[in-house]
Amino acid sequence: MSHDNFSAPMPWIGRYVVAASFICILSMLADAVQGIRRRKFWLPCRFFTLNAASLTLLGVVVKLPLDLNNPMPGETDQMAKLSSVVFMSTAMANFMPSLPLMDNKDIFMEMAALGILVTTLVANVCTELGTGVIYSEKIEHIVVMLSIIFLFVIMCFSALTVPTIKSFLELEYREKGNMIEIEDLVEGEKPVEVKLKENLRKFLIMAETGNPQFVMARSATCAACCAICCLNGLVLLQVSLRDNLFGAHVKSMSDYRRSTYCISRIQSLGVAVGTVSSLIRWFAIATIKSSKKKINIKVEKHWLERLKDWKDSPFALQIKNPKCRKLVQQIQNLILGYCTRLQILIVVASKIVQLFPILLLSLLRSCVCSSSWCNNIINSESESAENLKEDISRYVLHLEGEEELTQVMANRRDDTSWMMEIGRKQQPKYLMELLQKLNDFRGVGKFDINQFPPPQFQVPPNGWKMPIVTLTAIATAIPNIDHKMVDSLLLTVSQGLKYVSFIEHVLGTNGNSEKNKRAADVAWLELYVYRRWLDQDLQKMALQGKTSKGILQNFADIAQNYVTGLKDENTKVDYSRKPAKVIAANATYQMSQIILQDTEKIDDQTEVHFFNYISVMIAGVVSACLINMPYAITKKCSASAIEKREENVQHAIHLLGEAEEIIKSLQKHEKVTPANSSKSDSDSPSSDEIEIAIE
C-alpha cells in the first residue's frame, strides 16, 4: 500500500483535535459568561473543571506536540504545535479554582493523571526540540514548557492546602451558625418571615465567602497561575503577529494537511478566551486585596499545616528494624523539609506577583478617579456602608491574612432581596387559593392510622406526600365533577408537592421514608399524567356514578384486592423491600377507612360537597407539612456539603420568596410534624376540622 493510503486518516484526526479544542473553549466561555452574569468576577468553575472528561479532551488537544511519528516541517505545522502547548498551559491555569470541588482521593487521582499528561507532553516536546522536529519558535516552546512545569508544581502544592482550608471553613461556618441561633434567642419575638430573611442573608454571606472555589480563586497561588497564563498568551500573540506580518503559515507540509491551520486558529482562540478569563479573575481578586491598607508578604499557617502534620506523623509502613525505621523517618523528614521550603518559596513568589495588579489598581484609584466614582467602576458590587441595616461583616468567613475581605463583602449589594423578588414572581397562586379554604387543622392526627392496619403488610413509615397523593386520587374519581375543577386540583397539588418534597427531603432520614417518598412519586406520576391509580382508570371509575361512601369503599376494595393478589409473596419481608404500588395500596386502604369512619359527614353530601370536603382535607395535610417550612429552610443552609452550600442557600432564598405569603398565613397554627400528629389533642372534632392522621 502507498504512503497516501496510510496518511489518509490523518486529516480526520486533525478535525477530531479541532472538535476537542472547541468543546474546551465552549466550557471555558460558559464559565466566564455565567460568572459575569452572576457578578462573580472571580469566575467560578462549573463546566471546565479538573476531571477525567476534561483531561481526556486535553489529551486529544495536545495530539500534535505528542506526535513523534509524523514529520511536520511546514510553518503552519510548527505554529499548531506551539498553540497546542500554550492551550495546555491556559487550561491548567483555569483549572485552579476547581481543585477544592474534589475530596482528597479525587484530588490525588486527578493530579496524578494531570502529572502523567504533563510529563509526557514535556518529554515529547523536549525530544522534538533536541532532534530538530521543532525548529521554529524554539525559545517560545522552552518558555511555555517551563511555565507548564511551574503551573503543575503550583497546583500540586495548592492542592495540599485544600483539606486544611475545608476543615477550617467548616468549623467557622458552624460557629457562625451557632451565633445566629443565639442571636435569635436574644432578639426575642419577630415575625418568622422577617427573622428568616435576616438569617438567610447571614447564611448567604457565609456560604459565598466560605465557598472553597472562591477561597482558592483569591489565593496568591491562583494569582500566580493567572499571571503565567497571561504571559503565555502574550507569547502566542507575538508569534502570531510576527508570522502573519511576514506572510508565514501559508501551507501545511504534514499528513494533517489543512487541518493544522484550523487547529492553530481554533486553539489560538481558546488561548484568548482562557487568558481573558484569567485576567478578569486576577484583577477581580486584586480589587479585593487592594482595599488592604498595609501589604505584608507573610506565609500563613494553612499553607504549611498539612506538611507539618505529615512531618510529625510516623512513617505509614511498619518497619521492624530500628535502624532502617530511623533512616526512613529521617529521609521522610528531609523530603518534607525541602517541600516546606519550596512551599514557602512558591507562596512568597506568588504574593509578589499578586502585588502588580494591586499596585496598578491603587494607583488608578489615587490618580485618576474620585473615591466614590472609582469604586463604582472597579467594583460594581460595592454599596455605601451607611445603607446597611446591620453589620454583616461578622459573618464573613476568611482565612488568616484576608481581613480586608470582611469590609469588602459587607459593603457589597445585598443579593437576598433580589433573589427573593425572583421567588415572589413564581408564587404558587393555585396552592395559596386552596389554603385559604382552611380555617384550622387542629384535627390533623385525631384519627390514628394504626386503627386500620394495611392488608398483608406492615404499616408504612411517617410521611406527608403519600396521604396527599392518595386523597387527590380519591377526589379525581368523584363523579359529576367539572373537569376544570379536577385539573385545577391536580395543578394545585402539583405546586404543593414541590414544597412537601423539599421538606421531606430535608427532614427525612430513614430508609423507609425514602422508599415511601419514591412510591409517592411513582403514584403521582401515574395519577397526574394518566389519571390512573393502582392500574385502575379513574375517569372510568368516575363515570360509574357511585355515592361518596361507595367511592371510598371501592378504593378500599381495590387496594385490598391489589395486595391480596400478591399472596404468593412472603408477607413478612421488610416494608422497605415492597414495590411502590404496594405502598400506595396500603396508603389507599388506610385513608379510605379513615374517611369512611366519619360516615355521618359524607353520607348525605353531594358530589361537589364531597369534592370540596376532600380538597379541604388535602389543604389541611399540606398546611400541616408547610408549617415546617421555616425550620426546613434553616436546616437546608447548614446540612449540605461545603461545596454545595452556596447553591443550597440560594435555593432556600428562592423558596422563601415563593412561600413567604404561605408562611405568614400559617403562623397562627401550631407546628405539626409527622412524628407528633398522632399525639394531637383528643377532643371531639368539630365540623370544620380536618380529621386525618399522618403516620
Side-chain angles (χ1 to χ4, degrees), residues 283-321:
F283 274 85
I285 300 304
T287 302
I288 297 175
K289 300 292 183 180
S290 63
S291 61
K292 195 172 184 179
K293 296 181 179 179
K294 187 177 180 181
I295 299 176
N296 292 323
I297 299 179
K298 176 186 175 183
V299 180
E300 292 81 9
K301 293 181 180 179
H302 62 269
W303 292 106
L304 308 174
E305 185 170 334
R306 198 175 189 197
L307 290 171
K308 289 183 178 180
D309 289 342
W310 284 350
K311 191 173 183 180
D312 296 336
S313 302
F315 191 67
L317 298 178
Q318 296 296 327
I319 301 176
K320 295 182 179 180
N321 191 311

Side-chain angles (χ1 to χ4, degrees), residues 160-171:
L160 289 177
T161 66
V162 170
T164 303
I165 290 174
K166 282 187 177 181
S167 61
F168 175 80
L169 293 174
E170 185 66 34
L171 178 61

Side-chain angles (χ1 to χ4, degrees), residues 124-193:
N124 282 25
V125 171
C126 289
T127 301
E128 292 175 24
L129 287 171
T131 57
V133 174
I134 296 178
Y135 64 89
S136 179
E137 291 94 23
K138 284 189 175 183
I139 296 177
E140 287 81 0
H141 275 91
I142 294 172
V143 170
V144 176
M145 284 297 102
L146 289 175
S147 67
I148 288 178
I149 296 173
F150 291 153
L151 279 171
F152 181 70
V153 173
I154 292 173
M155 290 180 69
C156 288
F157 281 92
S158 298
L160 289 177
T161 66
V162 170
T164 303
I165 290 174
K166 282 187 177 181
S167 61
F168 175 80
L169 293 174
E170 185 66 34
L171 178 61
E172 195 171 5
Y173 192 94
R174 299 296 177 189
E175 292 177 353
K176 303 292 186 183
N178 294 335
M179 187 189 304
I180 293 175
E181 293 180 2
I182 295 173
E183 288 181 353
D184 287 344
L185 297 175
V186 173
E187 290 176 358
E189 293 296 328
K190 275 186 179 181
V192 173
E193 67 278 1

Side-chain angles (χ1 to χ4, degrees), residues 10-222:
M10 301 309 293
W12 287 102
I13 295 176
R15 297 184 185 101
Y16 183 42
V17 174
V18 171
S21 304
F22 190 67
I23 293 173
C24 292
I25 294 171
L26 288 181
S27 300
M28 287 189 285
L29 187 61
D31 283 337
V33 171
Q34 188 178 63
I36 293 173
R37 283 186 61 193
R38 295 184 177 184
R39 294 180 298 279
K40 293 184 177 181
F41 296 104
W42 53 274
L43 304 185
C45 298
R46 183 175 180 182
F47 302 100
F48 194 68
T49 60
L50 181 60
N51 54 41
S54 58
L55 289 177
T56 302
L57 287 173
L58 284 180
V60 178
V61 167
V62 294
K63 172 69 173 66
L64 296 188
L66 292 178
D67 191 353
L68 299 176
N69 298 324
N70 289 285
M72 302 180 68
E75 290 292 336
T76 301
D77 306 327
Q78 298 289 303
M79 180 64 183
K81 284 181 177 286
L82 179 61
S83 64
S84 294
V85 293
V86 176
F87 192 97
M88 178 70 181
S89 68
T90 304
M92 291 174 64
N94 282 273
F95 281 150
M96 269 294 288
S98 69
L99 288 178
L101 293 177
M102 301 173 283
D103 57 26
N104 296 348
K105 182 180 178 180
D106 289 337
I107 289 178
F108 175 78
M109 297 300 294
E110 301 300 342
M111 290 303 300
L114 179 61
I116 293 172
L117 180 59
V118 167
T119 303
T120 305
L121 178 63
V122 172
N124 282 25
V125 171
C126 289
T127 301
E128 292 175 24
L129 287 171
T131 57
V133 174
I134 296 178
Y135 64 89
S136 179
E137 291 94 23
K138 284 189 175 183
I139 296 177
E140 287 81 0
H141 275 91
I142 294 172
V143 170
V144 176
M145 284 297 102
L146 289 175
S147 67
I148 288 178
I149 296 173
F150 291 153
L151 279 171
F152 181 70
V153 173
I154 292 173
M155 290 180 69
C156 288
F157 281 92
S158 298
L160 289 177
T161 66
V162 170
T164 303
I165 290 174
K166 282 187 177 181
S167 61
F168 175 80
L169 293 174
E170 185 66 34
L171 178 61
E172 195 171 5
Y173 192 94
R174 299 296 177 189
E175 292 177 353
K176 303 292 186 183
N178 294 335
M179 187 189 304
I180 293 175
E181 293 180 2
I182 295 173
E183 288 181 353
D184 287 344
L185 297 175
V186 173
E187 290 176 358
E189 293 296 328
K190 275 186 179 181
V192 173
E193 67 278 1
V194 175
K195 185 187 296 185
L196 197 56
K197 181 180 178 181
E198 293 176 357
N199 290 345
L200 284 178
R201 185 188 176 198
K202 298 171 185 177
F203 278 119
L204 182 62
I205 196 73
M206 290 161 54
E208 285 181 342
T209 55
N211 186 338
Q213 281 206 73
F214 186 30
V215 176
M216 182 59 69
R218 64 182 189 247
S219 65
T221 52
C222 186

Side-chain angles (χ1 to χ4, degrees), residues 55 137 156 165 187 300 343 374 404 418 446 448 463 615 630:
L55 289 177
E137 291 94 23
C156 288
I165 290 174
E187 290 176 358
E300 292 81 9
Q343 177 77 303
C374 184
E404 72 282 353
W418 71 265
K446 289 189 175 179
D448 187 359
S615 299

